[in-house]
Amino acid sequence: MEVAGIVLYNPEEKRLIENLDAIYKQVKYVILVDNGSQNVDQISAILRNYSNSILIRNDKNMGIATALNQLVSKAKSMNAEWVLTLDQDSVCQKDIIDKYKEFVKDHSDAAIVSCVIEDRNVSKPVKDDLDFEYEKIDFCITSASFTNVEKIREIGGFDDKLFIDMVDYDICYAARRAGYSIYRINYVGLLHEVGHSEEHKLFGKHLIAYNHSAFRKYYWSRNSIYFVRKYNLGIRKGLVRVFKRIVITILYEKDKKQKVMSLFTGIVDGFKMNLDA
């Protein structure tokens, strides 16, 4: 059995309905974990129109990782084998589950299967006639990931310490380290929005400014350092990644001072995080 899961935090109601309309007929249940949204009563009213929806309410924002663990635990209790995880602002294609089910029948090593994703804010066209049928990849975003419940539970689930950002990188790395595979199939399965992305070119290189808030930039920076420390991947690699983001922020984004301060604070706090389980 397959279920879908959506983590909510003050979702735009119109987009949430669009999201639900795209997925609810494809799965047995849609599990929604609300992280203390101010509009939770409106969310509950919306869900009354979807008889196969299940709402788990948290009194406060517990973070993406904790909410995803709640989704996986609920899916397990319902004997679901796979859960499709979606962001609250992501709209999937209406045959995405069929595409994934067909693929995993012949790939028992798959822990997570993703697809080609189209960003609403990036003008570069995404085509589903790329020169591969499927490919093994190192990482994929959580949204539109078809995730094997047993395998994710076996590797310990999502890292609650991350709260938000790098949660997807961490679970993918943990799965591959355990001997499982992450796949991307040649199928444009999701319309997604990464922050308020803007494209830029610098010395011929294609750059994307995500325009995330200072709050998000702090967690991304902190967790990037924690991630390379956790898996002993080399501090230099993490620092280079963060400093690239700092340069892009200075060059192209608004509220530069606050955002850059958040990025540097994240670096410091990333070194302070406890690596013990």
Side-chain angles (χ1 to χ4, degrees):
M1 181 179 73
E2 303 79 32
V3 299
I6 309 173
V7 178
L8 304 177
Y9 181 68
N10 297 325
E12 179 185 334
E13 291 157 32
K14 183 178 178 181
R15 180 64 58 78
L16 176 59
I17 292 170
E18 187 181 1
N19 191 345
L20 287 164
D21 284 344
I23 190 58
Y24 84 102
K25 291 182 180 179
Q26 299 189 58
V27 292
K28 185 73 172 177
Y29 297 102
V30 181
I31 307 165
L32 302 99
V33 178
D34 182 75
N35 260 334
S37 294
Q38 294 179 358
N39 59 342
V40 67
D41 290 337
Q42 289 87 341
I43 293 168
S44 297
I46 289 170
L47 295 183
R48 284 197 284 271
N49 296 316
Y50 301 90
S51 59
N52 63 341
S53 65
I54 298 169
L55 179 62
I56 299 171
R57 295 178 60 168
N58 294 325
D59 291 334
K60 62 180 181 179
N61 189 352
M62 304 295 291
I64 293 291
T66 296
L68 287 170
N69 282 328
Q70 290 176 287
L71 284 175
V72 171
S73 293
K74 184 63 176 179
K76 170 63 176 177
S77 72
M78 302 167 79
N79 297 316
E81 297 178 78
W82 294 87
V83 56
L84 176 73
T85 52
L86 294 166
D87 289 347
Q88 63 188 24
D89 56 359
S90 301
V91 179
C92 66
Q93 296 290 349
K94 296 189 176 180
D95 61 348
I96 191 170
I97 295 294
D98 286 341
K99 294 286 187 181
Y100 282 152
K101 285 172 62 177
E102 184 64 27
F103 180 81
V104 298
K105 285 193 301 186
D106 299 319
H107 296 85
S108 60
D109 61 324
I112 302 172
V113 183
S114 185
C115 61
V116 179
I117 294 169
E118 183 175 345
D119 190 334
R120 298 172 187 268
N121 297 316
V122 177
S123 61
K124 185 179 180 181
V126 177
K127 298 180 179 180
D128 57 357
D129 60 351
L130 303 177
D131 60 352
F132 65 91
E133 179 183 352
Y134 65 87
E135 61 180 352
K136 282 190 179 183
I137 55 177
D138 290 340
F139 301 104
C140 64
I141 66 172
T142 304
S143 193
S145 288
F146 200 50
T147 302
N148 185 277
V149 172
E150 280 299 329
K151 291 182 175 67
I152 293 304
R153 286 172 57 84
E154 178 189 321
I155 63 176
F158 298 87
D159 189 338
D160 293 310
K161 292 180 185 178
L162 294 173
F163 192 77
I164 190 171
D165 281 309
M166 296 297 293
V167 175
D168 42 12
Y169 267 71
D170 181 83
I171 198 68
C172 288
Y173 193 88
R176 290 191 295 109
R177 191 174 67 162
Y180 297 120
S181 299
I182 315 296
Y183 288 100
R184 182 173 76 145
I185 61 175
N186 182 6
Y187 159 74
V188 181
L190 186 76
L191 184 61
H192 185 62
E193 191 166 4
V194 183
H196 298 283
S197 308
E198 295 177 349
E199 297 175 278
H200 300 278
K201 278 194 174 181
L202 182 65
F203 303 122
K205 291 188 175 182
H206 181 78
L207 303 174
I208 297 178
Y210 292 108
N211 293 300
H212 283 139
S213 66
F215 171 84
R216 287 288 304 275
K217 287 188 183 294
Y218 165 78
Y219 277 104
W220 179 86
S221 175
R222 188 198 72 162
N223 294 345
S224 292
I225 299 302
Y226 169 76
F227 175 77
V228 295
R229 291 178 58 228
K230 177 180 177 180
Y231 295 109
N232 197 27
L233 300 177
I235 294 301
R236 181 178 178 275
K237 184 175 181 179
L239 287 173
V240 167
R241 192 165 184 260
V242 176
F243 278 110
K244 284 182 178 178
R245 188 67 61 92
I246 290 172
V247 170
I248 292 172
T249 300
I250 292 171
L251 288 176
Y252 302 117
E253 297 192 19
K254 298 177 181 178
D255 302 321
K256 305 176 192 293
K257 182 177 179 180
Q258 184 181 8
K259 290 179 179 181
V260 170
M261 287 179 62
S262 293
L263 286 161
F264 275 111
T265 302
I267 292 173
V268 174
D269 289 351
F271 280 109
K272 293 179 179 178
M273 288 180 72
N274 190 345
L275 297 180
D276 295 335

